Amino acid sequence: MPSTTSRPTALRLAGSAAAVATGMAISGCGVLAGLQGDVFQLKVGDCLADELTGGEITEAATVECDRPHYGEVFASIVMEDGDYPGDAAVSGRAEEECTSEFESFVGAPLADSELEVFMLHPSERTWNRIDDREILCIVHDPAGETTGSLSGAAR
């Protein structure tokens, strides 16, 4: 979702190979009002009210997970300090780590699952300006909104 603020920092959104292959277009939570917040405040266990679209993301609406929602943050990976390793390296690490974490969270391998994963990861700008090193892994059901956690869903 494009930023409506002039804030100079954002996270980059990336989809997994499986999500990209099947497409990521599903409806958001309709009339459900989420709590709009700073994307840098997201944490494991947060549920997203609406789909995040590609590019740099600065805000994300959250909602209680027992309400209908688009996706759930299921893992956080912190990259090592140092120079920005480049977009391809960051995206590759995000996909590798989130795919690995998916099975422990959902209870089924991503390749066999009907669920999809996308990632929020540092951009070069956030890496350099605010020392952002966090990758967030988000699971969602392309069939529609989810109510409750997908932890242990095994699907």
Side-chain angles (χ1 to χ4, degrees), residues 50-70:
D50 300 303
E51 177 179 11
L52 302 176
T53 58
E56 290 194 342
I57 309 296
T58 59
E59 296 179 344
T62 59
V63 66
E64 294 295 323
C65 293
D66 62 355
R67 307 270 317 261
H69 57 273
Y70 176 77

Side-chain angles (χ1 to χ4, degrees), residues 10 20 31 49 52 71 107 144 151:
V20 172
V31 297
L52 302 176
S151 177

Side-chain angles (χ1 to χ4, degrees), residues 58-145:
T58 59
E59 296 179 344
T62 59
V63 66
E64 294 295 323
C65 293
D66 62 355
R67 307 270 317 261
H69 57 273
Y70 176 77
E72 178 179 357
V73 179
F74 70 91
S76 168
I77 295 93
V78 178
M79 297 183 69
E80 300 78 22
D81 284 335
D83 292 336
Y84 183 70
D87 292 344
V90 173
S91 294
R93 173 84 184 271
E95 186 165 344
E96 176 185 317
E97 296 281 354
C98 291
T99 299
S100 174
E101 293 288 332
F102 180 89
E103 186 169 358
S104 356
F105 182 76
V106 172
L110 180 57
D112 300 335
S113 179
E114 62 193 42
L115 303 174
E116 294 179 347
V117 170
F118 60 97
M119 307 94 190
L120 288 170
H121 61 74
S123 66
E124 184 171 12
R125 183 175 19 186
T126 64
W127 185 282
N128 292 327
R129 288 191 181 174
I130 62 169
D131 294 323
D132 178 26
R133 303 293 187 267
E134 186 174 33
I135 296 167
L136 293 176
C137 308
I138 301 164
V139 60
H140 81 95
D141 186 344
E145 295 174 341

